[in-house]
Amino acid sequence: MDRCRLVLAMAALLCALIAAPLTAIAQVWDPSVAISAYSAALNTHDLPAALALFDQYGSATDAAGHHFEGRAGLTQFLLNSGFGSSDAVITTDGLLIVANRAVWTYSCTCASASTEVRLVLNHDKISVFAVMAPPASPLPKAGAGLLPWLAGLGLVAGALAGGIGLWRGRGASGVPRQTEGHMLAALRQSRLTPHVQPDHRGQP
């Protein structure tokens, strides 16, 4: 019985020794710590504190695809990302963490839309801070653009067909053609001129 207790105690101690380094590593590599520190630095407009979150090879990319690295480059990036506005405040909208990587979405009073960031940590420092470009607006469907044109062409074709039919109807019934005018004039002239019978008496 004592032997079983000794084995169980040794197993528990071994598990504790194995779990302790893993917990320490998880704390060091946890991006949520860096994100909380970044949010606090921006909300208090503490630019040096934000710069200290990046490692010596840390880099950043803005939504337009511009790349920043080094102390001067990261300073410019942070100033463009809200640190240059004295009343900027950010709040976290969403956070997804996988190992030392994170997808962080936040809203800032300095921007009209929410911002999505991809972070990669190297130990407890930010190695990559990439702001994702906003999604492009969907293109209109090809059929939707043609529909107004087809409707307009149908109206024009209908108007032309009605005009041609009206013109033909007037030509057939209301307006006499040129040949018909000559025939009517000749008939009228023959009625007005007296008809004289030929005299055959003087002929042998």
Side-chain angles (χ1 to χ4, degrees), residues 138-153:
L139 296 174
K141 295 182 179 179
L146 292 177
L147 188 59
W149 285 97
L150 292 175
L153 287 175

Side-chain angles (χ1 to χ4, degrees), residues 5-84:
R5 289 179 180 176
L6 181 61
V7 170
L8 290 174
M10 290 181 64
L13 180 60
L14 182 61
C15 290
L17 290 174
I18 293 173
L22 292 177
T23 304
I25 291 173
Q27 290 176 352
V28 170
W29 289 72
D30 187 3
S32 64
V33 176
I35 289 171
S36 297
Y38 182 93
S39 299
L42 196 152
N43 290 337
T44 58
H45 310 100
D46 190 350
L47 183 59
L51 283 172
L53 295 173
F54 290 83
D55 68 7
Q56 59 177 338
Y57 303 112
S59 63
T61 307
D62 63 12
H66 301 130
H67 186 73
F68 303 87
E69 59 184 14
R71 188 173 181 84
L74 291 173
T75 298
Q76 186 61 50
F77 168 78
L78 292 172
L79 289 173
N80 296 343
S81 301
F83 282 87

